[in-house]
Each structure stands twice: as C-alpha cells, then as structure tokens.
C-alpha cells in the first residue's frame, strides 16, 4: 500500500485572483489532516530585496496583525478564528481565505533559510492554513495586487491588508478621493494636481 498519497485540484476563475484548492491526503490509506502552504515569491523580482517589505499578515478579533521575518523564527503557530492569513510585500499579497460562512482556525508561519544558485543565502517566508479532510471544504487562496477595488471584490476586510501606516485616518480618505478623481480624468498625474488644488482651496481660510 502507498504510505502517502496526495491529490490536489486547483480551480481558476477568469478575471479573479482567487484560486480554489481542493486537496486530499491519505497516510497509509487513511484520510489525514494537513497544512496547505504558500512560500514567499511574488511581485517584482527585479526589486532589490533590501528595499522590499516581506511580512506575515493575518486578521483576528477585528485587528490586522503583522509578523516580521525575525518574529517567525523556525515557526509560529496560532489557533483561533482568522478572517485571512498569508504573506505580503509592499504591493502584493498571498492570502488564505476561509470557506464561506466559516473562519480559518489554525495557521502557521515560518522563515526558513534558502540557498540560491550563486551560493548566497536568503530567508524564505512561508504561511500555511490547516485543513481537516472530514469537513470537505475547499481552501481559497488570493494571490494578487494590494489594490483597493480588487480587494473589495474579493472579500470582506481584505482592504485592511493595505498598510497606510500611522496616518491611516488621513491617508486612506485622500487615497480614495484620488481614486475617485482618477475615475474621471484617467490620468494619475492630473488627478494628483487636482487633489492638490482641492486641498489648498479647503485649507485657504486657515492661511
């Protein structure tokens, strides 16, 4: 008998950044639970690694939490109720999404050492979601840009993966206004100029 047998089916939807992963694992002929993982590696690979941000990210209890490379170590595992979990860089994200009407209940992060072809070493981040075969539910994986419109269409709370920093209260509304202006002029250069004019008009009484 086969000691280990794995069957994985990926379903791609046209026009979507979400992949449905139907995976089944048998160990010595018996169904087994498993972690489905994603290793860091997306976005613009030509960008110097020293200039990029690579982190683990997950949402629980209404808050988005982030893990730096040094926080992960050999591995971190969390149990609870999670709206999403995965990896991100400055402009892209790979996120495990829960089945409909459910949550992710167990997730894992790690930073493993990877040796490149030229002998150099780098940290390879990984994120995994736990799946139980008895539940028979597909795991969904979003891999795409951190674009507000794309994230809104994909699922609730996903826009929170965009990190506006300490000035989120100011930056997010300005960004949304910029996107609204762009929807009419179709040119970000013109949109930025118009937004600057609007801000100066609004602040003129204070000068």
């Amino acid at each position: 008998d086969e000691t280990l047998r794995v069957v994985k089916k990926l379903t791609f939807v046209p026009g979507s950044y979400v992949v449905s992963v139907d995976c089944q694992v048998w160990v010595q002929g018996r169904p087994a639970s498993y972690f489905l993982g994603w290793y860091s590696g997306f976005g613009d690979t030509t960008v110097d690694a020293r200039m990029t941000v690579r982190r683990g990210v997950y949402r629980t209890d209404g808050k988005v939490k982030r893990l730096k490379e040094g926080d992960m170590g050999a591995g971190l595992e969390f149990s609870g109720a999670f709206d999403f979990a995965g990896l991100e860089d400055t402009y892209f994200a790979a996120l495990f999404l829960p089945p409909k009407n459910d949550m992710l209940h167990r997730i894992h992060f790690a930073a493993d050492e990877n040796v490149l072809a030229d002998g150099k070493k780098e940290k390879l981040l990984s994120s995994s979601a736990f799946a139980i075969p008895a539940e028979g539910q597909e795991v969904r994986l979003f891999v795409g840009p951190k674009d507000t419109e794309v994230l809104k269409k994909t699922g609730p709370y996903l826009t929170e993966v965009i990190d506006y920093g300490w000035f989120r209260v100011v930056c997010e509304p300005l960004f949304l206004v910029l996107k609204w202006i762009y929807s009419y002029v179709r040119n970000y250069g013109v949109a930025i100029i118009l937004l600057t004019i609007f801000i100066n008009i609004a602040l003129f009484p204070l000068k």
Side-chain angles (χ1 to χ4, degrees):
D1 293 341
E2 295 177 322
T3 303
L4 174 65
R5 181 172 176 238
V6 178
V7 176
K8 187 188 296 181
K9 182 177 73 173
L10 306 179
T11 303
F12 297 86
V13 179
S16 171
Y17 290 94
V18 177
V19 179
S20 294
V21 184
D22 181 10
C23 189
Q24 300 178 60
V25 178
W26 293 268
V27 177
Q28 295 182 340
R30 297 181 179 180
S33 55
Y34 58 92
F35 274 101
L36 185 65
W38 174 274
Y39 285 82
S40 58
F42 47 79
D44 189 351
T45 57
T46 63
V47 176
D48 190 324
R50 294 170 296 181
M51 304 298 293
T52 61
V53 175
R54 298 187 305 158
R55 298 178 295 198
V57 59
Y58 61 97
R59 188 181 192 274
T60 184
D61 296 328
K63 295 181 180 179
V64 173
K65 299 185 179 182
R66 290 179 164 85
L67 297 170
K68 296 180 181 178
E69 181 182 294
D71 298 330
M72 299 182 191
L76 283 177
E77 187 172 317
F78 302 99
S79 297
F82 307 95
D83 297 296
F84 60 76
L87 302 174
E88 65 170 356
D89 67 8
T90 308
Y91 304 109
F92 295 87
L95 305 170
F96 288 103
L97 308 177
K100 293 181 179 180
N101 303 317
D102 200 358
M103 304 283 276
L104 299 174
H105 297 289
R106 193 172 161 193
I107 57 176
H108 182 271
F109 296 92
D112 301 316
E113 191 173 82
N114 181 46
V115 181
L116 302 176
D118 58 5
K120 293 182 179 180
K121 297 180 180 180
E122 67 170 1
K123 289 291 184 180
L124 189 62
L125 309 187
S126 67
S127 172
S128 307
F130 187 72
I132 302 175
E135 295 180 353
Q137 294 179 316
E138 293 182 340
V139 175
R140 297 183 300 142
L141 176 64
F142 168 85
V143 182
K146 292 159 70 171
D147 179 276
T148 51
E149 297 304 318
V150 171
L151 295 172
K152 281 181 183 177
K153 293 178 182 178
T154 302
Y157 313 118
L158 287 187
T159 54
E160 295 179 25
V161 79
I162 300 175
D163 187 7
Y164 292 98
W166 290 97
F167 298 100
R168 185 184 189 95
V169 175
V170 176
C171 294
E172 187 172 9
L174 287 177
F175 179 73
L176 294 176
V177 172
L178 179 66
K179 293 276 287 186
W180 177 77
I181 296 173
Y182 172 79
S183 68
Y184 287 94
V185 300
R186 310 305 298 177
N187 184 301
Y188 273 113
V190 175
I192 291 171
I193 292 172
L194 291 175
L195 178 60
T196 303
I197 293 172
F198 293 154
I199 292 173
N200 276 279
I201 292 173
L203 297 178
F204 183 77
L206 302 177
K207 292 184 179 180

